[in-house]
């Protein structure tokens, strides 16, 4: 295994260097030490085999490209081996509460990638996925009124939310043009994003399922997702949530009317409570959408005033 794949696998598995007991030998200063049990666990990781298959497959693609066989190289690239990190998420977070407690860094990194520009190291698909995850999380927090604290600083907007009894804190950067420092290793950050993307998808699926919605939202409801700014993507997700909740409540009412058996008093009370809850969620989403529309109108008025001042 190469050093690059070893570091990448350590990030995905959650294996970190350890300080040796006692003092390190003088001739071995600067070396990194790991536990033997961690190395043994890495040696039997299924993702390691996928790394080896991918490396061997990429050699074939480079060989075809070197022979100027562009069609063959494109065909092989389309059938390249893939892998998933689902088993790593279940292994590192056996309980849902464990995943929520470790969600701070994941949300901060996802919001950071959503604000970064497209560069050679960062593809447009990664930025689009980060915007989608950030907007889905923001739409859920707005729907459930989960945000309890927030304040603005130089780094960005600090937010705190209460999700299923757990406190989650993250930072959302300002909507400015971000500079890309050269001394930052974006390959390491992309490896963290690869794992956090899977973790956040698991968490959002569970949270959306608890309120009776399917995640990810259907494509017909999220038309144009990932285009424009993060606020536009958030507005699209809020509209999709509103339409999905409206469809769910109408489906429940149709089932009730078509039912032949007369429901009991407990069942009627439960159904009324469910529809009342759905109406409250729709009202909350409408309030959030109106706030986003007012912010967009204010931004347009400010831009118009600046243009008029330039003309004068």
């Amino acid at each position: 295994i190469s050093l690059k794949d070893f570091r990448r696998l350590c990030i995905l598995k959650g294996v970190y260097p350890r300080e040796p007991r006692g003092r390190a030998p003088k001739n071995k200063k600067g070396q990194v030490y790991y536990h033997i049990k961690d190395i043994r666990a890495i040696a039997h990781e299924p993702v390691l085999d996928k790394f080896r298959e991918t490396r061997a497959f990429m050699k074939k693609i480079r060989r075809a490209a070197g022979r100027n066989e562009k069609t063959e190289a494109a065909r092989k690239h389309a059938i390249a081996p893939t892998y998933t990190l689902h088993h790593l998420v279940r292994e590192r977070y056996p309980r849902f509460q464990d995943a929520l407690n470790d969600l701070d860094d994941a949300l901060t990194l996802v919001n950071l990638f959503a604000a970064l520009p497209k560069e050679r190291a960062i593809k447009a698909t990664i930025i689009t996925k980060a915007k989608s995850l950030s907007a889905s999380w923001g739409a859920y927090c707005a729907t459930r009124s989960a945000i309890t604290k927030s304040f603005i600083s130089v780094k960005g907007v600090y937010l705190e939310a209460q999700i299923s009894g757990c406190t989650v804190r993250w930072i959302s950067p300002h909507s400015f043009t971000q500079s890309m420092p050269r001394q930052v290793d974006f390959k390491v950050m992309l490896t963290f994003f690869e794992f956090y993307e899977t973790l956040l998808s698991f968490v959002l699926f569970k949270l959306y399922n608890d309120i009776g919605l399917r995640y990810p939202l259907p494509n017909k409801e999220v038309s144009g997702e990932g285009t424009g700014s993060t606020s536009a993507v958030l507005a699209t997700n809020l509209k999709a949530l509103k339409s999905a909740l409206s469809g769910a409540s109408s489906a429940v009412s149709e089932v009730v009317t078509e039912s032949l058996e007369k429901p009991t008093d407990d069942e009627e009370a439960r159904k009324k409570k469910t529809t009342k809850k759905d109406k409250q969620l729709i009202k909350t989403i409408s309030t959030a959408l109106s706030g986003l529309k007012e912010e967009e109108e204010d931004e347009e008025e400010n831009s118009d005033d600046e243009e008029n001042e330039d003309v004068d």
Side-chain angles (χ1 to χ4, degrees), residues 89 93 95-104 199 203:
V89 174
Y93 306 104
R95 299 184 306 166
F96 182 64
Q97 299 295 328
D98 297 336
L100 289 177
N101 291 329
D102 200 19
L103 210 61
D104 300 354
L199 170 62
V203 173

Side-chain angles (χ1 to χ4, degrees), residues 283-303:
K283 185 178 179 181
T284 307
I285 293 173
S286 301
T287 306
L289 283 173
S290 61
L292 285 173
K293 289 180 180 178
E294 291 178 359
E295 290 180 0
E296 292 178 356
E297 290 176 358
D298 293 338
E299 290 179 358
E300 291 179 358
E301 290 178 359
N302 293 332
S303 61

Side-chain angles (χ1 to χ4, degrees), residues 170-183:
W170 72 97
I171 306 173
S172 180
H174 296 294
S175 299
F176 299 144
T177 303
Q178 305 292 334
S179 60
M180 307 289 286
R182 296 183 178 179
Q183 62 271 21

Side-chain angles (χ1 to χ4, degrees), residues 135 224-239 292 296:
E225 180 183 1
T227 58
S229 60
T230 307
S231 59
V233 182
L234 176 58
T236 306
N237 278 265
L238 284 171
K239 291 177 182 177
L292 285 173
E296 292 178 356

